[in-house]
Amino acid sequence: MACATLLALPAHAQSEAALKDYFEGKTVVVKMDMPATQEGVDVYADARRPIDFGAYSARLKSTGIALKSGESVMITRIRVKDKLIEFQLGGGGYGTFSDDTSTSVYVPSATKSTREKNLERDIKNETDSARKRRMQSDLDNLRRDRENEDRRNRAVAETASEQKKQRIAEQRLHGGSRFNIRYQNGVPAGVTPGGIMAALVEYVEFPFADKVVRPGKETAPAAVARGPASGPRKGMTWQDALDAFGQPEKTADRMEGKLKVTTATFSKDDQRIEAEFVEGVLIRYSISSR
């Protein structure tokens, strides 16, 4: 029955459930300062330049730093949407639905008293000039008192707004952050934990990633479907690379935390391709002439 229910779910729902089971509640180490906002850091998984550092810098300046480079933090939520995967850390960042992000404090204007309203009405009909002057003087005093009250209220509102601004800024620093892993053509079906770690390996250390997939072994698709390719692309698997470019001329391994990164050099026609794989998934490459 459970299998039948799972099969009935949309593909992205199945992926989300698997990713939640694998990641949520585990602790990672961030390798970069994380902005104190729910907007987090955008990582374009299938782009040659995964992060727009101009936008990243602007968010750090406007919101401050919630998580410092080298800090350990819990993965609190994974959400799979049509074109992105939210990798939420320490609460996901301040500014979500339940967070108050407005720094303004509203104080209503002082209302006219009954006495002021009556004077405004009666002064129009008063024919005695001396009495009318006294009424006007009383009305001016009432208006002046109301204007003074408005000024006091505005001063109170400005002080309260500044205090609220400082309070929100402090709350931002304790609200966590997130990575938004974006895919131009939509989140691929069957995206795996290995694919997520490959997309974030330059920015996050995964201490719990004990199982390292060696190049040459079959791996689940991480960012694109398996198939032939005319050139390298981020997200292609090790087997796709072998199918497209043949056996590499040389390989070299290094460790990124507990993830094994393999650098391979391929030759195809008059091109030399330097490619880096994490858990059998291509994360970076360069092409030069032979």
Side-chain angles (χ1 to χ4, degrees):
M1 180 65 70
C3 290
T5 302
L6 182 60
L7 291 173
L9 294 173
H12 84 273
Q14 295 183 40
S15 296
E16 182 175 81
L19 294 174
K20 281 177 172 290
D21 288 344
Y22 185 82
F23 284 114
E24 288 185 356
K26 294 180 179 177
T27 299
V28 295
V29 179
V30 293
K31 298 181 181 180
M32 62 191 301
D33 293 339
M34 298 295 294
T37 169
Q38 91 287 357
E39 294 179 341
V41 177
D42 293 323
V43 176
Y44 296 88
D46 44 12
R48 295 202 63 174
R49 192 166 184 261
I51 290 182
D52 179 346
F53 283 98
Y56 166 73
S57 177
R59 287 178 188 173
L60 286 181
K61 288 181 179 179
S62 65
T63 65
I65 299 172
L67 303 170
K68 293 185 179 296
S69 178
E71 188 172 341
S72 296
V73 62
M74 180 181 289
I75 305 167
T76 51
R77 192 175 187 186
I78 300 291
R79 293 187 67 190
V80 178
K81 298 184 177 180
D82 289 340
K83 290 191 174 184
L84 70 88
I85 296 175
E86 294 179 0
F87 194 85
Q88 299 188 19
L89 303 171
Y94 191 86
T96 55
F97 179 76
S98 61
D99 293 328
D100 182 6
T101 58
S102 172
T103 59
S104 63
V105 175
Y106 173 72
V107 176
S109 299
T111 59
K112 293 181 180 181
S113 65
T114 302
R115 171 65 173 159
E116 184 178 353
K117 292 177 181 178
N118 289 341
L119 282 171
E120 288 178 335
R121 181 197 63 205
D122 295 342
I123 202 170
K124 296 176 182 178
N125 302 319
E126 182 58 55
T127 58
D128 184 281
S129 59
R131 181 174 174 79
K132 191 169 186 175
R133 283 195 298 272
R134 290 194 298 272
M135 293 172 65
Q136 185 63 55
S137 178
D138 290 344
L139 180 58
D140 291 342
N141 289 335
L142 289 172
R143 286 174 174 170
R144 192 178 302 110
D145 290 343
R146 180 163 53 84
E147 290 169 356
N148 288 337
E149 183 179 352
D150 276 338
R151 280 193 290 271
R152 288 193 297 271
N153 288 343
R154 285 195 296 270
V156 169
E158 289 174 3
T159 300
S161 293
E162 184 60 31
Q163 291 173 344
K164 187 177 182 183
K165 182 179 179 180
Q166 294 174 2
R167 185 170 65 253
I168 288 176
E170 180 65 22
Q171 290 173 341
R172 281 187 179 279
L173 301 181
H174 301 284
S177 192
R178 70 179 67 186
F179 287 96
N180 301 305
I181 308 171
R182 299 184 180 275
Y183 301 86
Q184 183 176 359
N185 297 318
V187 174
V191 64
T192 65
I196 299 302
M197 290 188 284
L200 297 179
V201 68
E202 295 186 59
Y203 321 113
V204 179
E205 182 179 337
F206 297 90
F208 52 84
D210 293 320
K211 294 183 179 179
V212 179
V213 179
R214 300 294 191 271
K217 292 186 178 181
E218 187 68 21
T219 59
V224 292
R226 290 280 305 276
S230 58
R233 63 183 184 276
K234 287 189 176 183
M236 74 187 310
T237 65
W238 176 260
Q239 188 59 52
D240 284 341
L242 295 182
D243 293 343
F245 316 125
Q247 289 294 327
E249 294 180 353
K250 59 181 180 179
T251 61
D253 297 329
R254 72 175 190 275
M255 298 302 295
E256 290 279 355
K258 292 189 177 181
L259 296 178
K260 186 175 183 179
V261 180
T262 297
T263 302
T265 302
F266 298 92
S267 292
K268 182 181 180 183
D269 301 327
D270 60 346
Q271 294 181 329
R272 185 180 301 278
I273 302 168
E274 297 282 345
E276 285 192 357
F277 295 82
V278 175
E279 294 211 6
V281 178
L282 180 63
I283 65 165
R284 186 189 301 108
Y285 65 89
S286 63
I287 301 175
S288 60
S289 299
R290 290 203 294 173

